[in-house]
Amino acid sequence: MSKKTKTELENNKLNKKLRHAVGDAINDFNMIENGDKIMVCLSGGKDSYALLDILRQLQASAPIEFELVAVNLDQKQPGFPEHVLPDYLESIGVPYKIVEEDTYSVVKRVLEEGKTTCSLCSRLRRGILYRTAKELGCTKIALGHHRDDILGTLFLNMFYGGKLKAMPPKLVSDNGEHIVIRPLAYVKEKDLIRYAELKQFPIIPCNLCGSQPNLQRQVIREMLVDWDKRFPGRIESMFSALQNVVPSHLADIELFDFAGLQKGQKLKHGGDLAFDRETLPQRFPSQDEDEESTPQTETKKVINILASKPKP
């Protein structure tokens, strides 16, 4: 097999993988219905390019009919290449709208020097996109957040916000007037990186926020990337956890009636088992191995703590 043929096979395999993942998310959460007009928010980053590209493929083969319109918010960042997105969208024949709003100046004027801009920028952008969706008569707003974004938000809220909350694949907008969907919810970021390289999307970096130091989201992202490299399967397991929530084994009195719990009551997910998988690791790391962050080390620490407790 020639190198060219092998590359083509790998590219086709990746394309099929992404289409299946997006199709599964759309089906699982009923994201797209017959007659929908979907506003695809296009930032110029790899994720939104991939989102538009895959939705176009599904549009051509889906058993239902839906419209796509790409919308970009030109926030008047210095040096923003205004021609790139219109040129690209015209070349592929997608209806589009460029919305020009100088949110850059607003963010720079309101926030102190050194403060991160993501939160304010996001709120301003969201309001403008909601207004645009209404003007265009769109029934859904599609965003390019992927699986790793969803997990990153989970840890951001846990570490810094004190909430067990992530990004839902489908939700009602803040103003209650729109349905927001995230068709890339099941897609891995590393697959999107490969796909963007394959398709050679004209990527536009975000100069407003991309260069900010010590962003909390970037710290979380690096943590997830490191885990994915060192512990294969951990990211998949964590995302599965978002789809297997057990309210009776958390501590939110709004989600589960702890006050009304009675003896003999049968719970959907069982009793007081703390960890579903009871098998212990076959070996512990030796002293010369890295013991800081392995599952075996954590189990060993628990056993040592229990062993050191005085007997009653």
Side-chain angles (χ1 to χ4, degrees), residues 298-311:
E298 297 305 316
T299 306
K300 185 177 181 181
K301 287 178 180 177
V302 172
I303 292 174
N304 287 340
I305 291 171
L306 293 174
S308 64
K309 286 186 177 181
K311 295 183 179 180

Side-chain angles (χ1 to χ4, degrees), residues 150-161 163 165-166 220 223-224 227 238:
I150 293 173
L151 280 175
T153 301
L154 171 69
F155 284 100
L156 274 173
N157 281 312
M158 287 177 62
F159 293 171
Y160 305 109
K163 291 182 180 179
K165 171 185 173 183
I220 297 294
M223 178 190 75
L224 293 176
W227 282 356
M238 288 191 298

